[in-house]
């Protein structure tokens, strides 16, 4: 590591190589704070060429590297390696090109999600995927996680809005993956690869035209079941709103405590439904929506952008708000088919009662993406363990109902152990072959996504006997 650090210092300006133990601790975790590791060294490259040179050095020294954007990830994807280099993109924040005629922007990876919209808003455009962390998360992180957001129901996830990516491959080459390339969709494979297939250094994103009309509605229901039924009825009626978000009573209580969002008192659930598009279409859909939500005891319609922001305020602050009502919590992320929502929510209630652990529910209801917030008091002996059990059991419920262990926060280090519950050995071996094609030496973000550090060159198939890595205690078998 000493020799590598000296080599890094010869490549980058002095203040772009961090070795001071106190400063290194700034980078010891992402948004999932219970996984921590102090990185061996942190570098802050300012150009793609610098990223490539750092990666080549890592290859020369056989040292692993991890990319980091803003560190808001919730699955430990940017958890550093004590024996590795953390490559942080915070000095790569330029919007390089805006081409409204072709509805594209070319940006560096450290640019925040919201900054793209802010750069084109006054010219009637925006960048559609909108994670709740959009003020701070980086577009490079969004690409790596294939991030979603409230408006992805209608407009699609990050993968639908990335046209091309310049990447530094795990062996240090600078290449461009383009949607238009014939042959295999390598860009599709890269988006969502959680930093395991290389580092994005330049991203071409699609820009959308701001809709002619937007109507934002807050509907308050007596119970979560009524809210769930309304969601199914809205989609069943052929309406695809820009967003349908739901929060249960506990999540509303937290949001109220944190940001005084003034949601209707006594609501068992609130639905936020946003309709957008040509004015005539929005008007027609709103009439349908009003009828479908006739069971709501209050229906609020935002009269202007300020009221629209007030409705969104509670939802956008929901994760952090839970800190107001619980000393500690786990943000879970799973997906179920929309029609399974009522059954899964009832089962979560039963789990909560059985383990004496409260669960607040916030979700992108339109696409069945649950975000149960599993609350516990870390000062209470055993509470953290019970919360972990509930959190894991929720993922099992998602799998049982034909859903997935992650909707948008990724697998990272947190959920790698759940991968074998969803995928067979053969599935995992096949994914590993893709990884090895990009990264035969396994240096790019190792230890993430996959449960065991399978090695490139191993023949996939049924393994006979105990794997030598398991035997030596270096790897776990789940
Ligand atoms: C309050 C809050 C709300 C959130 N809401 C949402 C939401 O609504 N929807 C959603 O999808 N997520 C949400 N997230 C999760 C998180 O913000 C996203 O996953 C986001 O995309 C992470 O971006 P980042 O820049 O912080 O990435 P980081 O946390 O720094 O890294 C995330 C992963 O990306 C990799 N990576 C980072 N940069 C690059 C790069 N240039 N090239 C290759 N790999 C890279 C890292 O190695 C890591 O695996 C939320 C998080 C918080 C804290």
């Amino acid at each position: 590591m000493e020799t590598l650090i000296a080599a890094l210092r010869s490549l980058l300006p002095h203040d772009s190589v961090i070795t001071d133990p106190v400063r290194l601790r700034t980078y010891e975790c992402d948004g999932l704070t219970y996984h921590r590791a102090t990185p061996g060294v942190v570098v802050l490259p300012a150009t793609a060429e610098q990223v490539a040179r750092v990666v080549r050095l890592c290859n020369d020294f056989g040292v692993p590297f991890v990319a980091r954007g803003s560190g808001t990830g919730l699955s430990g994807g940017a958890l550093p390696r004590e024996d590795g280099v953390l490559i942080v993109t915070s000095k790569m924040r330029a919007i390089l090109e805006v081409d409204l005629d072709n509805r594209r922007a070319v940006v560096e990876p450290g640019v925040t999600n919201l900054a793209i919209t802010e750069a084109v808003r006054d010219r009637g455009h925006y960048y559609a995927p909108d994670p709740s962390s959009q003020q701070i998360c980086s577009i490079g992180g969004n690409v790596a996680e294939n991030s979603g957001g409230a408006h992805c129901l209608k407009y699609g996830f990050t993968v639908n809005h990335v046209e091309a990516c310049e990447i530094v491959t795990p062996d240090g080459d600078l290449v461009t993956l383009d949607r238009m390339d014939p042959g295999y969709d390598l860009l599709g494979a890269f988006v969502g690869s959680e930093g395991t297939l290389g580092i994005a250094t330049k991203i071409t994103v699609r820009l959308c035209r701001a809709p002619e009309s937007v109507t934002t509605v807050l509907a308050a229901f007596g119970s979560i079941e009524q809210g769930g039924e309304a969601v199914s009825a809205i989609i069943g009626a052929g309406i695809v709103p820009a967003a349908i978000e739901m929060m249960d009573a506990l999540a509303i209580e937290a949001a109220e405590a944190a940001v005084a969002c003034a949601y209707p008192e006594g609501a068992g659930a609130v639905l936020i439904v946003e309709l957008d598009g040509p004015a005539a279409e929005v008007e027609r859909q709103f009439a349908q929506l009003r009828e479908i939500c006739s069971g709501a005891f209050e229906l609020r319609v935002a009269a202007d952008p300020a009221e629209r922001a007030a409705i969104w305020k509670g939802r956008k602050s929901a994760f952090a708000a839970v800190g107001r009502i619980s000393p500690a919590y786990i943000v879970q992320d799973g997906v179920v088919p929309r029609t399974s929502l009522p059954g899964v929510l009832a089962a979560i209630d039963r789990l909560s009662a059985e383990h004496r652990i409260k669960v607040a529910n916030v979700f992108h209801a339109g696409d069945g993406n649950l975000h149960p917030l599993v609350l516990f008091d870390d000062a209470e002996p055993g509470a953290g363990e019970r919360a972990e059990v509930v959190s894991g059991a929720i993922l099992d419920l998602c799998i049982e109902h034909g859903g997935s262990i992650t909707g948008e926060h990724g697998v990272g280090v947190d959920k790698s152990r759940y991968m074998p519950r969803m995928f067979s050995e053969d599935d995992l071996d096949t994914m590993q072959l893709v990884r090895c094609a990009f990264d035969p030496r396994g240096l790019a973000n190792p230890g993430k996504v996959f449960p065991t550090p399978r090695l490139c060159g191993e023949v996939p198939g049924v393994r006979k006997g105990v794997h030598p890595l398991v035997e030596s205690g270096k790897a776990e078998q789940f």
Side-chain angles (χ1 to χ4, degrees):
M1 191 51 86
E2 291 292 304
T3 331
L4 171 62
I5 289 170
L8 288 168
R9 288 206 188 284
S10 69
L11 276 188
L12 300 172
H14 184 75
D15 65 347
S16 298
V17 181
I18 300 174
T19 54
D20 171 49
V22 176
R23 289 186 66 203
L24 286 180
R25 295 206 50 190
T26 307
Y27 300 94
E28 67 184 1
C29 65
D30 62 7
L32 186 73
T33 53
Y34 57 83
H35 290 283
R36 287 170 194 263
T38 308
V41 54
V42 171
V43 294
L44 307 169
T47 65
E49 189 47 48
Q50 287 182 351
V51 176
R53 285 202 207 147
V54 169
V55 169
R56 273 180 236 138
L57 264 187
C58 290
N59 272 267
D60 293 346
F61 285 79
V63 164
F65 59 88
V66 177
R68 177 178 165 118
S70 304
T72 66
L74 290 170
S75 56
L79 181 75
R81 299 266 306 199
E82 287 177 1
D83 60 348
V85 179
L86 187 71
I87 303 175
V88 184
T89 60
S90 54
K91 284 197 176 176
M92 301 176 75
R93 290 214 168 137
I95 295 182
L96 301 169
E97 191 188 326
V98 172
D99 174 3
L100 291 184
D101 290 340
N102 289 303
R103 296 215 193 142
R104 284 166 162 229
V106 183
V107 302
E108 289 189 325
V111 169
T112 63
N113 172 298
L114 191 60
I116 302 177
T117 291
E118 280 171 348
V120 294
R121 199 199 308 268
D122 61 353
R123 286 174 278 169
H125 287 73
Y126 71 110
Y127 176 64
D130 58 341
S132 304
S133 51
Q134 67 182 153
Q135 294 191 8
I136 175 170
C137 66
S138 74
I139 192 73
N142 290 179
V143 168
E145 299 289 0
N146 187 19
S147 295
H151 292 82
C152 291
L153 171 64
K154 181 170 180 179
Y155 293 99
F157 278 58
T158 303
V159 70
N160 305 110
H161 295 267
V162 174
E163 303 273 338
C165 249
E166 176 191 82
I167 69 164
V168 171
T169 63
D171 49 9
D173 287 337
L174 256 182
V175 300
T176 298
L177 310 176
D178 197 302
R179 182 79 57 213
M180 304 295 277
D181 286 343
Y184 294 120
D185 180 9
L186 297 181
L187 180 62
F190 186 82
V191 177
S193 61
E194 302 191 26
T196 62
L197 303 185
I199 302 182
T201 47
K202 200 195 284 176
I203 299 151
T204 306
V205 294
R206 264 177 62 192
L207 298 172
C208 296
R209 272 206 86 100
E212 182 190 359
S213 171
V214 179
T215 296
T216 308
V217 179
L218 180 85
F221 292 90
S223 70
I224 198 103
E225 290 75 24
Q226 286 176 310
E229 281 161 19
V231 172
S232 296
I234 292 165
I235 303 288
I239 304 172
V240 184
I244 312 185
E245 299 288 301
M246 183 144 68
M247 291 165 70
D248 73 1
L250 201 53
I252 297 168
E253 181 190 326
E256 191 57 53
V259 294
C261 52
Y263 287 170
E265 239 173 78
V270 291
L271 267 191
I272 299 173
V273 185
E274 194 153 273
L275 303 168
D276 72 3
E281 182 183 302
V282 170
E283 209 172 298
R284 183 178 51 77
Q285 289 185 340
F286 176 62
Q288 280 177 286
L289 180 73
R290 195 186 271 282
E291 204 164 299
I292 292 168
C293 290
S294 57
F297 68 82
E298 188 174 333
L299 202 73
R300 249 181 232 175
V301 185
D304 54 40
E307 285 190 18
R308 181 183 175 207
I311 287 180
W312 276 110
K313 195 170 163 190
R315 168 61 188 92
K316 294 255 175 186
S317 69
F319 289 1
V322 166
R324 294 294 183 118
I325 60 165
S326 177
Y329 60 97
I330 299 169
V331 180
Q332 192 46 284
D333 163 47
V335 184
V336 293
R338 213 167 21 237
T339 45
S340 302
L341 274 176
V344 170
L345 289 171
I348 293 177
D349 249 4
R350 287 195 292 276
L351 278 172
S352 161
E354 188 187 328
H355 295 275
R356 292 172 290 113
I357 289 287
K358 285 185 179 176
V359 180
N361 284 295
V362 177
F363 37 100
H364 303 308
D367 41 27
N369 186 186
L370 307 170
H371 287 313
L373 301 158
V374 183
L375 318 186
F376 63 101
D377 182 351
D378 43 0
E380 184 193 324
E385 287 75 7
R386 294 204 312 278
E388 277 285 348
V389 169
V390 170
S391 186
I394 291 173
L395 294 185
D396 285 336
L397 277 174
C398 293
I399 297 171
E400 274 164 35
H401 283 81
S404 165
I405 58 170
T406 171
E408 53 183 18
H409 295 170
V411 179
V413 75
D414 190 39
K415 291 189 176 169
S416 56
R417 64 189 188 281
Y418 294 103
M419 289 286 273
R421 298 196 194 172
M422 213 176 142
F423 297 106
S424 69
E425 274 278 296
D426 283 349
D427 294 334
L428 292 172
D429 280 332
T430 306
M431 291 184 209
Q432 196 66 13
L433 286 176
V434 176
R435 181 181 191 158
C436 292
F438 279 78
D439 183 20
R441 299 182 69 193
L443 294 180
N445 211 3
K448 313 290 167 61
V449 184
F450 296 100
T452 54
R454 287 194 186 100
L455 306 175
C456 296
E458 274 188 78
V459 182
V462 180
R463 187 165 294 119
K464 297 194 180 65
V466 183
H467 192 288
L469 284 174
V470 176
E471 204 163 37
S472 67
K474 288 190 179 136
E476 293 170 88
Q477 190 89 51
F478 291 93

